[in-house]
Amino acid sequence: MAGNRAVVYDRPGRVEISDIAYPELILRDGPGVNPLNVGRKCEHGVILKVITTNICGSDQHMVRGRTTAPSGLVLGHEITGEVIEVGRDVEFIKKGDLVSVPFNIACGRCRNCKERNTNVCTNVNPDRPGSAYGYVDMGGWVGGQSEYVMVPYADFQLLKFPDKDRAMEKILDLTMLSDIFPTGYHGAVSAGVRPGSTVYIAGAGPVGLAAAHSAQLLGASVVIVGDLNAERLAQARSFGCETVNLREHANLAEQIDQILGVPEVDCAVDCVGFEAHGHGKSHGEAPATVLNSIMEVTRAGGRLGIPGLYVTGDPGAVDEDAKIGTLKIRFGLGWAKSHTFVTGQTPVMQYNRELMSAILSGRAQIAKAVNATLISLDEAPAAYSEFDQGASKKFVIDPHGSVRR
């Protein structure tokens, strides 16, 4: 039997490359696995040889020690792979298929899945609706920053690429379909972006850049991206966005006014989440900053897409309330302006097929927008460190050297 190497969370600030068990069509006990999921049989699943798997900002929250993730947790929820083994109950997915794996684990049988809300499947996580690979409190499904991984409910979940050779030519774009591209797109759709819209994107990390590119695809007339990181803002400008450096300019509304002639936008997207910082040179962590600022600059009647991650448990939070996800949000302002808020995990399966078509047709250039950077599995720990320091890159791990350089 083949071995299996993976990126494993060790302790705050440290990940390691470790030997882990080769996957089976059953969920074994291990770090982070919910006891009620131990022994769960998955004959409806497949084993994948991982072709690409990406480092996500959500992974970084765990690695920083800002969640209750246990030592030994195998990381990785952005997975693209080749099917090498199929379970007894798999009917339509075949060995050799090249597939994208939605980061949401979904059964396809519960009420939420049948209503296309695969982000809150009720059958895969005994703790609460919704699950993901390699993530704390998500049921314990083993992560995919590895050489091989098991994926359950294969017939329902997997997005098969129609032509393997053509897919491999665009693999740095297609690898973004498991999470980042649908998540950015969902943020823009939730915010109501349409032709002619003016849009503010909070955060120029990979999800923010994906949201900005998505807003352009949806026809926005002006996309403004705000961040504290000059390198990431330069990346946003590289594909036509306006930018605001919030380290240098604390007043967001004034900066929007200088760009648009009015101090507000039609809609806004929060791509930062719970580790948000205040604005200005002496900024510190202030987790409600982005939510409050996007309410301030979004016009009355506008919509706010919030794909940025907010958690119910943050041991490193700045105060006791924030440690349980209670933030000082100016909800009265949002109410007074009749804002619509859309939050939560992205239901990837609502978007990934159409975004695949946009990539294969050349309409979407997501790898370029997020500066996709290919690395080996052994380079992952250094990439985590570089990403944590604000590098404007989307790191794509190639565990087997499958991607043509």
Side-chain angles (χ1 to χ4, degrees):
M1 181 176 292
N4 195 16
R5 299 166 70 235
V7 182
V8 174
Y9 170 67
D10 179 42
R11 59 183 184 271
R14 182 177 174 84
V15 299
E16 296 180 336
I17 306 302
S18 299
D19 292 319
I20 65 169
Y22 187 83
E24 304 173 78
L25 296 174
I26 187 171
L27 187 54
R28 301 291 188 187
D29 197 8
V33 179
N34 190 298
L36 296 176
N37 261 351
V38 173
R40 186 167 181 161
K41 296 179 181 179
C42 297
E43 288 294 339
H44 43 65
V46 299
I47 306 299
L48 297 183
K49 175 185 176 182
V50 177
I51 302 299
T52 54
T53 175
N54 316 327
I55 296 176
C56 180
S58 298
D59 299 320
Q60 203 73 59
H61 292 305
M62 290 188 290
V63 174
R64 290 190 189 114
R66 297 300 297 268
T67 71
T68 56
S71 178
L73 185 74
V74 180
L75 300 171
H77 55 271
E78 301 189 15
I79 308 164
T80 304
E82 180 183 4
V83 178
I84 59 174
E85 180 182 340
V86 297
R88 178 194 60 218
D89 299 331
V90 177
E91 184 176 0
F92 304 111
I93 296 294
K94 307 298 182 186
K95 287 183 181 180
D97 287 347
L98 187 62
V99 297
S100 177
V101 183
F103 81 91
N104 327 104
I105 301 170
C107 70
R109 297 156 168 80
C110 70
R111 174 180 175 176
N112 285 344
C113 284
K114 289 178 179 179
E115 293 178 353
R116 302 183 74 214
N117 295 316
T118 54
N119 53 319
V120 281
C121 174
T122 58
N123 285 333
V124 289
N125 183 359
D127 284 334
R128 61 173 184 254
S131 190
Y133 303 90
Y135 212 84
V136 61
D137 297 331
M138 289 290 183
W141 300 89
V142 179
Q145 285 176 14
S146 56
E147 294 174 320
Y148 303 94
V149 69
M150 187 270 283
V151 174
Y153 304 106
D155 278 332
F156 175 65
Q157 292 195 105
L158 295 181
L159 175 66
K160 177 184 172 181
F161 300 137
D163 184 297
K164 286 178 68 173
D165 291 337
R166 187 180 177 204
M168 287 302 295
E169 292 174 0
K170 289 183 173 285
I171 195 65
L172 289 184
D173 293 283
L174 294 171
T175 191
M176 306 302 168
L177 291 174
S178 57
D179 179 0
I180 178 179
F181 197 7
T183 292
Y185 192 80
H186 176 63
V189 168
S190 299
V193 178
R194 58 190 181 190
S197 294
T198 57
V199 187
Y200 175 66
I201 309 290
V207 170
L209 297 171
H213 185 46
S214 298
Q216 293 172 333
L217 291 173
L218 289 165
S221 59
V222 182
V223 179
I224 304 169
V225 181
D227 203 290
L228 300 160
N229 183 315
E231 180 184 346
R232 290 181 170 182
L233 290 172
Q235 180 63 26
R237 289 193 296 275
S238 76
F239 59 95
C241 299
E242 300 284 346
T243 61
V244 174
N245 188 324
L246 294 167
R247 186 184 301 274
E248 298 176 358
H249 307 287
N251 192 313
L252 175 59
E254 285 184 0
Q255 297 307 306
I256 289 176
D257 192 14
Q258 289 187 17
I259 295 168
L260 297 178
V262 291
E264 63 182 16
V265 291
D266 294 323
C267 48
V269 186
D270 172 5
C271 297
V272 178
F274 73 102
E275 286 193 66
H277 281 63
H279 302 163
K281 295 187 187 308
S282 58
H283 67 87
E285 187 169 320
T289 297
V290 170
L291 294 171
N292 288 330
S293 65
I294 62 176
M295 283 190 283
E296 179 187 357
V297 301
T298 301
R299 68 174 177 83
R303 298 173 62 92
L304 311 177
I306 310 174
L309 176 66
Y310 289 88
V311 296
T312 56
D314 175 10
V318 293
D319 57 49
E320 293 303 311
D321 283 341
K323 286 182 179 180
I324 58 171
T326 300
L327 309 182
K328 296 178 180 178
I329 300 170
R330 294 184 64 196
F331 190 72
L333 176 61
W335 189 93
K337 297 178 79 171
S338 295
H339 283 158
T340 298
F341 300 75
V342 180
T343 68
Q345 280 190 37
T346 295
V348 169
M349 293 177 68
Q350 289 191 24
Y351 308 108
N352 60 354
R353 187 172 298 277
E354 62 195 61
L355 293 177
M356 175 185 71
S357 296
I359 289 169
L360 293 175
S361 70
R363 179 79 175 96
Q365 305 285 336
I366 187 64
K368 180 180 178 182
V370 302
N371 193 19
T373 303
L374 196 67
I375 61 171
S376 69
L377 188 66
D378 289 317
E379 292 173 304
Y384 265 96
S385 178
E386 188 178 348
F387 189 40
D388 189 46
Q389 294 169 29
S392 185
K393 299 175 182 178
K394 177 66 173 178
F395 288 104
V396 178
I397 301 170
D398 175 9
H400 297 275
S402 305
V403 181
R404 186 173 61 196
R405 263 52 176 183

PDB file of all heavy atoms in Angstrom, residues 8 13 36-37 71 84 112 124 127 193-194 225 270-271 280 283 332 371 381 389:
ATOM      1  N   VAL A   8       0.426  19.071   8.443  1.00  0.00           N
ATOM      2  CA  VAL A   8      -0.237  18.839   9.728  1.00  0.00           C
ATOM      3  C   VAL A   8       0.003  20.032  10.653  1.00  0.00           C
ATOM      4  O   VAL A   8       1.140  20.518  10.764  1.00  0.00           O
ATOM      5  CB  VAL A   8       0.300  17.537  10.373  1.00  0.00           C
ATOM      6  CG1 VAL A   8      -0.251  17.352  11.780  1.00  0.00           C
ATOM      7  CG2 VAL A   8      -0.062  16.337   9.503  1.00  0.00           C
ATOM      8  N   GLY A  13       1.611  28.721  15.089  1.00  0.00           N
ATOM      9  CA  GLY A  13       2.747  29.207  14.328  1.00  0.00           C
ATOM     10  C   GLY A  13       3.560  28.137  13.641  1.00  0.00           C
ATOM     11  O   GLY A  13       4.564  28.452  12.980  1.00  0.00           O
ATOM     12  N   LEU A  36     -18.668  10.813  17.290  1.00  0.00           N
ATOM     13  CA  LEU A  36     -19.851  10.254  16.644  1.00  0.00           C
ATOM     14  C   LEU A  36     -19.629   9.954  15.163  1.00  0.00           C
ATOM     15  O   LEU A  36     -20.453   9.289  14.533  1.00  0.00           O
ATOM     16  CB  LEU A  36     -21.035  11.207  16.814  1.00  0.00           C
ATOM     17  CG  LEU A  36     -21.496  11.441  18.262  1.00  0.00           C
ATOM     18  CD1 LEU A  36     -22.612  12.469  18.307  1.00  0.00           C
ATOM     19  CD2 LEU A  36     -21.950  10.126  18.893  1.00  0.00           C
ATOM     20  N   ASN A  37     -18.515  10.457  14.603  1.00  0.00           N
ATOM     21  CA  ASN A  37     -18.187  10.166  13.210  1.00  0.00           C
ATOM     22  C   ASN A  37     -17.184   9.025  13.065  1.00  0.00           C
ATOM     23  O   ASN A  37     -16.946   8.550  11.951  1.00  0.00           O
ATOM     24  CB  ASN A  37     -17.611  11.416  12.524  1.00  0.00           C
ATOM     25  CG  ASN A  37     -18.646  12.159  11.697  1.00  0.00           C
ATOM     26  OD1 ASN A  37     -19.752  11.676  11.486  1.00  0.00           O
ATOM     27  ND2 ASN A  37     -18.299  13.351  11.238  1.00  0.00           N
ATOM     28  N   SER A  71      -3.598  19.725  17.979  1.00  0.00           N
ATOM     29  CA  SER A  71      -2.334  19.330  17.370  1.00  0.00           C
ATOM     30  C   SER A  71      -2.524  18.025  16.603  1.00  0.00           C
ATOM     31  O   SER A  71      -3.226  17.116  17.051  1.00  0.00           O
ATOM     32  CB  SER A  71      -1.275  19.149  18.453  1.00  0.00           C
ATOM     33  OG  SER A  71      -0.058  18.717  17.898  1.00  0.00           O
ATOM     34  N   ILE A  84      -8.645   7.402  -7.964  1.00  0.00           N
ATOM     35  CA  ILE A  84      -7.873   6.165  -8.117  1.00  0.00           C
ATOM     36  C   ILE A  84      -8.569   4.955  -7.482  1.00  0.00           C
ATOM     37  O   ILE A  84      -8.161   3.819  -7.703  1.00  0.00           O
ATOM     38  CB  ILE A  84      -6.450   6.314  -7.532  1.00  0.00           C
ATOM     39  CG1 ILE A  84      -6.480   6.677  -6.048  1.00  0.00           C
ATOM     40  CG2 ILE A  84      -5.658   7.350  -8.330  1.00  0.00           C
ATOM     41  CD1 ILE A  84      -5.099   6.686  -5.400  1.00  0.00           C
ATOM     42  N   ASN A 112     -31.493  20.495   3.555  1.00  0.00           N
ATOM     43  CA  ASN A 112     -30.675  21.624   3.124  1.00  0.00           C
ATOM     44  C   ASN A 112     -29.973  21.330   1.805  1.00  0.00           C
ATOM     45  O   ASN A 112     -29.924  22.193   0.912  1.00  0.00           O
ATOM     46  CB  ASN A 112     -29.650  21.983   4.204  1.00  0.00           C
ATOM     47  CG  ASN A 112     -30.284  22.704   5.380  1.00  0.00           C
ATOM     48  OD1 ASN A 112     -31.406  23.197   5.281  1.00  0.00           O
ATOM     49  ND2 ASN A 112     -29.584  22.773   6.488  1.00  0.00           N
ATOM     50  N   VAL A 124     -23.454  15.507   8.057  1.00  0.00           N
ATOM     51  CA  VAL A 124     -22.018  15.219   7.981  1.00  0.00           C
ATOM     52  C   VAL A 124     -21.226  15.672   9.200  1.00  0.00           C
ATOM     53  O   VAL A 124     -20.074  15.296   9.366  1.00  0.00           O
ATOM     54  CB  VAL A 124     -21.403  15.842   6.706  1.00  0.00           C
ATOM     55  CG1 VAL A 124     -21.885  15.090   5.474  1.00  0.00           C
ATOM     56  CG2 VAL A 124     -21.725  17.320   6.599  1.00  0.00           C
ATOM     57  N   ASP A 127     -21.910  18.005  15.327  1.00  0.00           N
ATOM     58  CA  ASP A 127     -21.968  19.173  16.206  1.00  0.00           C
ATOM     59  C   ASP A 127     -22.949  20.234  15.738  1.00  0.00           C
ATOM     60  O   ASP A 127     -23.649  20.847  16.545  1.00  0.00           O
ATOM     61  CB  ASP A 127     -20.577  19.812  16.340  1.00  0.00           C
ATOM     62  CG  ASP A 127     -19.671  19.018  17.255  1.00  0.00           C
ATOM     63  OD1 ASP A 127     -20.192  18.309  18.137  1.00  0.00           O
ATOM     64  OD2 ASP A 127     -18.440  19.112  17.087  1.00  0.00           O
ATOM     65  N   VAL A 193     -24.096  42.477  -6.758  1.00  0.00           N
ATOM     66  CA  VAL A 193     -23.353  43.101  -7.854  1.00  0.00           C
ATOM     67  C   VAL A 193     -24.038  42.793  -9.182  1.00  0.00           C
ATOM     68  O   VAL A 193     -24.404  41.648  -9.459  1.00  0.00           O
ATOM     69  CB  VAL A 193     -21.897  42.596  -7.883  1.00  0.00           C
ATOM     70  CG1 VAL A 193     -21.147  43.226  -9.060  1.00  0.00           C
ATOM     71  CG2 VAL A 193     -21.185  42.923  -6.575  1.00  0.00           C
ATOM     72  N   ARG A 194     -24.174  43.814 -10.012  1.00  0.00           N
ATOM     73  CA  ARG A 194     -24.779  43.671 -11.330  1.00  0.00           C
ATOM     74  C   ARG A 194     -24.127  44.683 -12.261  1.00  0.00           C
ATOM     75  O   ARG A 194     -23.332  45.517 -11.822  1.00  0.00           O
ATOM     76  CB  ARG A 194     -26.295  43.876 -11.245  1.00  0.00           C
ATOM     77  CG  ARG A 194     -26.712  45.215 -10.690  1.00  0.00           C
ATOM     78  CD  ARG A 194     -28.199  45.233 -10.409  1.00  0.00           C
ATOM     79  NE  ARG A 194     -28.637  46.528  -9.890  1.00  0.00           N
ATOM     80  CZ  ARG A 194     -29.841  46.753  -9.384  1.00  0.00           C
ATOM     81  NH1 ARG A 194     -30.724  45.745  -9.328  1.00  0.00           N
ATOM     82  NH2 ARG A 194     -30.175  47.949  -8.949  1.00  0.00           N
ATOM     83  N   VAL A 225     -10.887  48.150  -3.818  1.00  0.00           N
ATOM     84  CA  VAL A 225     -10.390  47.185  -2.843  1.00  0.00           C
ATOM     85  C   VAL A 225      -9.623  47.930  -1.762  1.00  0.00           C
ATOM     86  O   VAL A 225      -8.750  48.752  -2.065  1.00  0.00           O
ATOM     87  CB  VAL A 225      -9.477  46.141  -3.511  1.00  0.00           C
ATOM     88  CG1 VAL A 225      -8.976  45.133  -2.481  1.00  0.00           C
ATOM     89  CG2 VAL A 225     -10.225  45.428  -4.639  1.00  0.00           C
ATOM     90  N   ASP A 270     -17.274  41.745   2.574  1.00  0.00           N
ATOM     91  CA  ASP A 270     -16.298  41.558   3.651  1.00  0.00           C
ATOM     92  C   ASP A 270     -15.516  40.280   3.384  1.00  0.00           C
ATOM     93  O   ASP A 270     -16.033  39.179   3.542  1.00  0.00           O
ATOM     94  CB  ASP A 270     -17.018  41.487   5.002  1.00  0.00           C
ATOM     95  CG  ASP A 270     -16.094  41.103   6.160  1.00  0.00           C
ATOM     96  OD1 ASP A 270     -14.880  40.980   5.951  1.00  0.00           O
ATOM     97  OD2 ASP A 270     -16.611  40.921   7.287  1.00  0.00           O
ATOM     98  N   CYS A 271     -14.246  40.437   2.997  1.00  0.00           N
ATOM     99  CA  CYS A 271     -13.366  39.289   2.749  1.00  0.00           C
ATOM    100  C   CYS A 271     -12.236  39.243   3.770  1.00  0.00           C
ATOM    101  O   CYS A 271     -11.151  38.728   3.483  1.00  0.00           O
ATOM    102  CB  CYS A 271     -12.809  39.362   1.333  1.00  0.00           C
ATOM    103  SG  CYS A 271     -14.070  39.255   0.051  1.00  0.00           S
ATOM    104  N   GLY A 280      -5.620  53.065   9.858  1.00  0.00           N
ATOM    105  CA  GLY A 280      -4.650  54.075  10.268  1.00  0.00           C
ATOM    106  C   GLY A 280      -3.314  53.456  10.635  1.00  0.00           C
ATOM    107  O   GLY A 280      -3.173  52.236  10.767  1.00  0.00           O
ATOM    108  N   HIS A 283      -2.982  51.165  13.858  1.00  0.00           N
ATOM    109  CA  HIS A 283      -4.112  50.247  13.944  1.00  0.00           C
ATOM    110  C   HIS A 283      -3.781  49.064  14.843  1.00  0.00           C
ATOM    111  O   HIS A 283      -2.641  48.619  14.938  1.00  0.00           O
ATOM    112  CB  HIS A 283      -4.480  49.733  12.554  1.00  0.00           C
ATOM    113  CG  HIS A 283      -3.421  48.854  11.945  1.00  0.00           C
ATOM    114  ND1 HIS A 283      -3.361  47.502  12.167  1.00  0.00           N
ATOM    115  CD2 HIS A 283      -2.377  49.148  11.138  1.00  0.00           C
ATOM    116  CE1 HIS A 283      -2.338  46.992  11.525  1.00  0.00           C
ATOM    117  NE2 HIS A 283      -1.719  47.968  10.893  1.00  0.00           N
ATOM    118  N   GLY A 332     -27.681  48.899  14.473  1.00  0.00           N
ATOM    119  CA  GLY A 332     -28.676  49.954  14.272  1.00  0.00           C
ATOM    120  C   GLY A 332     -28.439  50.732  12.995  1.00  0.00           C
ATOM    121  O   GLY A 332     -29.391  51.157  12.328  1.00  0.00           O
ATOM    122  N   ASN A 371      -2.633  35.665  -8.167  1.00  0.00           N
ATOM    123  CA  ASN A 371      -1.196  35.376  -8.208  1.00  0.00           C
ATOM    124  C   ASN A 371      -0.914  33.954  -7.725  1.00  0.00           C
ATOM    125  O   ASN A 371      -0.161  33.729  -6.769  1.00  0.00           O
ATOM    126  CB  ASN A 371      -0.400  36.397  -7.384  1.00  0.00           C
ATOM    127  CG  ASN A 371       1.090  36.323  -7.651  1.00  0.00           C
ATOM    128  OD1 ASN A 371       1.530  35.783  -8.667  1.00  0.00           O
ATOM    129  ND2 ASN A 371       1.883  36.856  -6.733  1.00  0.00           N
ATOM    130  N   PRO A 381       5.405  24.385   4.659  1.00  0.00           N
ATOM    131  CA  PRO A 381       5.630  25.134   5.899  1.00  0.00           C
ATOM    132  C   PRO A 381       6.191  26.542   5.665  1.00  0.00           C
ATOM    133  O   PRO A 381       5.753  27.506   6.300  1.00  0.00           O
ATOM    134  CB  PRO A 381       6.618  24.247   6.663  1.00  0.00           C
ATOM    135  CG  PRO A 381       6.313  22.862   6.193  1.00  0.00           C
ATOM    136  CD  PRO A 381       6.022  23.039   4.731  1.00  0.00           C
ATOM    137  N   GLN A 389       2.911  36.463   6.701  1.00  0.00           N
ATOM    138  CA  GLN A 389       3.565  37.767   6.720  1.00  0.00           C
ATOM    139  C   GLN A 389       3.008  38.714   5.668  1.00  0.00           C
ATOM    140  O   GLN A 389       3.510  39.830   5.508  1.00  0.00           O
ATOM    141  CB  GLN A 389       5.074  37.587   6.535  1.00  0.00           C
ATOM    142  CG  GLN A 389       5.748  36.855   7.699  1.00  0.00           C
ATOM    143  CD  GLN A 389       7.171  36.452   7.408  1.00  0.00           C
ATOM    144  OE1 GLN A 389       7.863  37.101   6.623  1.00  0.00           O
ATOM    145  NE2 GLN A 389       7.623  35.363   8.026  1.00  0.00           N
TER     146      GLN A 389
END
